[in-house]
Amino acid sequence: MNPDYNVVTVEALITAYDPILVCLSILIAILSSFSAFGMVERNTSTRQSSQKIAWNLFAALVMTIGIWAMSFISMLALKPAMPVSYDVPTIILSVLPVICACSIVLWLITQQAFNYFRLLVAGLLLGSAISLMHYINLATISSNTLMFHDAGLVYLASFIAVVLAIVALKIQYQAIHQSQYKFITKKHIVSAVVMGLAFSAMHYSAMTALQFIPQTTDKVIDGVALNTLALMVTVMILLLMLPTIIIPYLLKYKQLINTVNQDAERLNAMMDTSQDALIQMNAKGDIVGWSAQAQDVFGWTSKQTVGQELANLIIPIPLRAAHKKGLEHFMATGEGPILNKIIEVEALHQDGHNLPIELTISFIKLADGFEFNALVRNISQRKQAEKALIIANEKLAFQNQEKDKRTAQLIRANQEIDKRANELTLAASVFTHALEGIVITDAENRVIDVNKKFTAIAGYSREEVVGQAPIFFQTDRHPPEFYSALWQVIKSSGQWAGEILSRRKNGEKYVAGITISAVKDTVGKVSHYVALFSDITLQRYHQYQLEQMAHYDTLTKLPNRALLADRLNQTMLQCQRHHHSLAVIFMDLDGFKEVNDIYGHAIGDELLIIVSGRMSDALREVDTLARLGGDEFVAVLSDLVNAEDYKMALERLLRAASEPITVGDVVLKVSVSIGVTLYPQDDADADILIRHADQAMYMAKKAGKNCYHLFDSALDNAVNLKQENISHISSALNKHEFVLYYQPKVNMSTGEVVGVEALIRWLHPVRGLVPPLDFLPLIENHTMSLDIGEWVIDTALSQISQWQSIGITLPISVNISAYQLQQADFVERLATLLAAHSDVSAHLLELEILETSAFSDINYIIATMKSCIGLGVQFALDDFGTGYSSLTYLRRLPANLIKIDQTFIRDMLTDADDLAIVLAVVSLAKAFQLEVIAEGVETVEHGTALLQLGCNKAQGYGIARPMPASDIPTWLSSWQPYQAWLGYLK
């Protein structure tokens, strides 16, 4: 039924759509995309360039026709309030830009390198082409109205087209390049649907932006009925698309079947030509494949084996239980000890005999379970050959043994014949060519002969020494007793070996490593002496250098850490034997770093050399001075009869280091800080003694430098105890032994509960509930306090969230230390904690700063507090009046509340000074427009007095004691304010 256009008004120009045609247009868009993408896949499967171009153009044409048909039918689906007609030729020509765009885009997605830049270009190109076709089609509309477009919706429509096109192209690209054995996957369907929605969503979004404004209503535009025209276009497009949808996928299905058949043929050919037999078994243990080689190995034909249980045919009876157990284990765990390994086992032949085989088992996972593949090789011939080779080797070994016996007998005979001659020849050769000097004397110690090496080392010729006593080995370095002891050893043992400092003919001294042996005749009487010696002067010099490098500092030539440890241990043993004391002195130069920084390391090194020399001169010869490195030195004073004997040495060391030092034309001034510990008063090992002296040196540094400090073992024990306590607290945090108790805060004049204060307790497994004053001071200004502080904030935020879940909204105030507030990352970590509890409003968290804390940088603290306030957190100044109270704090710190310390509240009723302080604090708070709350309110009278002074908020035992979080709801329901407080307002 045609509408009555003569009664159209501006309000009546509301466009509507035929839902059937809308659905039809979307379906055509999806089908055309599905068909086009199928043709694109044909493009990737062909190798000829002409076929690639043809498939690409054909796919572009199909997609373009689909886009055009969708656009045209969707325009026909429009039910405007005014009559319209369309310029069909122009509409048909609008496909040209889309054909070009589709050709480029479909070519891009067939490329291997389809990166995000190309994806973006393809999406923009396709989206732009779709938009262009749409607005060309709109330009063909003729009606009695003016058409206006909402610019925002126009841009949105184009954006939707681009985004959905990008998504569809990305999915289709992945579908194209997936396994060749996939026929139609979810990605094929999803990409077609998304691309169809891209076309449709752009068109209908753009049509929503179109508005019709009437010009005249008395003119009727004739033309073909819209429904008829839509039906004609739909039938034509569907008839065109039907073969384009079916043909590519029929071709792909044919290609897939051919590929599978070719793979099967190749596999069968490999099986038939392989030297190994292939047996396939399913998860039940039944044979599903039996190659021709398997028949050759086992005797069974494929017809006889397929469907039979493998174990019953080829596995020997003793091994069948293990086979069954292994199969069950694999089915349960997916693992097997022999999978993918080459093993040798016994198998059963058809005729009943066992044969050795080489076996490799693998598995593949199928849709309906597992399949096992076994490659089998008959190694019977190899085993027979190995056995024959073993027998042959045994025979050959026996023959070789007999031959070796006869050969050995001949060799021994020849050796006996040649032995004497060889010995003489060898002795002469050794004597002549030996690398050591050789001196032979008679029983009276007169030289009989020397070799050439002797002449080379000692400088004496053979003629000069033969017939003489070997006095050339003797020098005044060794006393006569040394040589007497040497000959005594030779007489008793027949040999002496050692080192002698000798002198060459030219007077040069050298170190000889010498061995003197006594040669006896057949009756045991000494007939000769033989001395073998070599010049080891260079080796001893190198050894000396290595010892210097290992035990002495290369710069100052002082003992290093290793030699110091050795000497200290020896000195400690001497002290124990003689009941004396020793002092370990640790020294660090004051001002040495500045010398290095100003004058350079060369001047610094010269300074160290001079200072080390002065300090060495200040000590006794029995003392040890060592350099540990840098400007650190350690001295060991030994044999101290009285414990106080070390003090004079310390004074000398202080003077030696502090005297001006001239290096070149530079006059330098340094001093030394000294730490001392005494042994056995400090009964520790060597390493601990040095460490204790080091600790005492740091105390001297803190005392102003250029002085000494004696190690205090009691202080060290206190430090160790503190470290142990910190370790216990850290362990308690890890074991979740800390809990929070909450003390309510109320408005006394109204009875309203305005919040709670979180107070930490340690639920110790032995000591029970430990109050904070027993453990918090131990971690003050320690990193452990930061972990505790963050745990308190996190737990408080979690508690706020839990109370909110049962309808209780209470702010919680948390105490934080100045050390925690002054951390560089405090604001960032607080923001992280707040973000982790997104359901909790930041204004419900109040941070209380102890007024007794001293802030090293008040400007930094103010900036930090302001950043926290920017997060929504509130601040309060706790224990006001007990520490660094000043008008500067009140004026500059951005806190909005002051807490009056309980020490003033407790005695304010009886102490006029405390009452005056409370009044002053309340007055200051009012002057600075800050809120004030009193803690420690224990009686009704305290509260009444505070109300009279103008303080209406309070907390204390008179209101409620700190309690676990679980008790707060019960307390809230039973809380009754004191009538005296409420009555005060009246």
Side-chain angles (χ1 to χ4, degrees), residues 901-966:
D901 188 66
Q902 59 182 340
T903 58
F904 303 122
I905 303 299
R906 186 183 302 114
D907 297 328
M908 64 177 290
L909 299 179
T910 58
D911 191 321
D913 291 338
D914 286 347
L915 180 63
I917 292 174
V918 173
L919 177 59
V921 174
V922 173
S923 300
L924 282 174
K926 290 181 178 179
F928 285 98
Q929 298 181 350
L930 300 175
E931 295 186 28
V932 64
I933 185 172
E935 54 183 4
V937 175
E938 299 182 355
T939 65
V940 177
E941 290 75 14
H942 281 95
T944 303
L946 287 169
L947 287 170
Q948 291 173 353
L949 295 177
C951 175
N952 60 358
K953 293 182 179 178
Q955 66 182 94
Y957 286 3
I959 298 169
R961 290 178 175 269
M963 63 190 76
S966 57

Side-chain angles (χ1 to χ4, degrees), residues 790-812:
E790 286 197 12
W791 176 86
V792 171
I793 294 174
D794 183 60
T795 304
L797 291 171
S798 298
Q799 190 57 59
I800 293 174
S801 176
Q802 293 177 20
W803 281 340
Q804 285 183 158
S805 65
I806 60 174
I808 297 174
T809 302
L810 280 178
I812 295 181

Side-chain angles (χ1 to χ4, degrees), residues 56 96 171 353 368 418 457 519 561 728 770 778 792 874 932:
N56 187 70
L96 295 178
I171 298 173
H353 78 274
D368 57 349
D418 298 334
I457 296 174
V519 181
R561 186 184 295 271
H728 290 163
V770 181
L778 299 175
V792 171
Q874 305 295 320
V932 64

Side-chain angles (χ1 to χ4, degrees), residues 631-681:
D631 59 348
E632 293 181 340
F633 298 86
V634 172
V636 178
L637 307 183
S638 60
D639 293 332
L640 300 178
V641 178
N642 298 314
E644 300 297 321
D645 292 347
Y646 70 93
K647 292 186 178 180
M648 295 179 62
L650 295 180
E651 295 295 339
R652 293 195 300 270
L653 290 170
L654 289 171
R655 287 195 300 271
S658 60
E659 292 177 357
I661 297 173
T662 302
V663 179
D665 56 352
V666 178
V667 178
L668 304 174
K669 180 71 174 178
V670 295
S671 61
V672 65
S673 296
I674 301 177
V676 188
T677 188
L678 300 177
Y679 176 84
Q681 290 84 342

Side-chain angles (χ1 to χ4, degrees), residues 212-378:
F212 293 93
I213 305 299
Q215 289 180 303
T216 176
T217 58
D218 57 358
K219 180 180 179 180
V220 177
I221 300 175
D222 295 328
V224 180
L226 300 183
N227 290 342
T228 302
L229 187 57
L231 181 62
M232 293 170 58
V233 171
T234 301
V235 171
M236 292 174 61
I237 294 303
L238 291 177
L239 289 175
L240 287 172
M241 282 189 182
L242 186 61
T244 65
I245 294 174
I246 296 173
I247 291 173
Y249 286 96
L250 286 177
L251 293 175
K252 183 176 181 180
Y253 178 76
K254 182 179 179 182
Q255 181 184 10
L256 181 62
I257 294 301
N258 291 337
T259 301
V260 173
N261 291 336
Q262 291 172 1
D263 290 346
E265 291 174 358
R266 283 195 294 269
L267 180 60
N268 290 332
M270 291 171 58
M271 290 173 56
D272 292 338
T273 58
S274 173
Q275 294 181 356
D276 297 329
L278 175 63
I279 302 174
Q280 295 170 293
M281 181 186 76
N282 60 20
K284 296 179 180 179
D286 297 335
I287 298 173
V288 296
W290 188 269
S291 68
Q293 286 75 11
Q295 180 176 345
D296 295 339
V297 173
F298 297 103
W300 302 96
T301 65
S302 175
K303 189 173 182 181
Q304 292 173 318
T305 58
V306 172
Q308 299 296 319
E309 187 174 353
L310 178 72
N312 294 334
L313 292 182
I314 66 172
I315 297 180
I317 294 176
L319 301 179
R320 290 177 184 177
H323 165 76
K324 182 178 180 182
K325 185 177 180 181
L327 184 61
E328 292 174 350
H329 176 73
F330 174 81
M331 298 307 297
T333 64
E335 299 178 352
I338 64 172
L339 288 176
N340 301 313
K341 296 180 181 178
I342 300 176
I343 62 172
E344 294 183 3
V345 295
E346 292 283 331
L348 189 64
H349 193 270
Q350 183 186 19
D351 59 12
H353 78 274
N354 286 358
L355 70 154
I357 62 171
E358 189 176 78
L359 175 66
T360 303
I361 302 177
S362 61
F363 74 94
I364 56 175
K365 188 174 182 180
L366 305 176
D368 57 349
F370 292 94
E371 185 174 286
F372 299 91
N373 295 323
L375 288 175
V376 179
R377 176 173 295 179
N378 188 347

Side-chain angles (χ1 to χ4, degrees), residues 207 319 557 820 982:
M207 290 299 292
L319 301 179
K557 310 307 178 185
Q820 183 176 7
L982 298 176

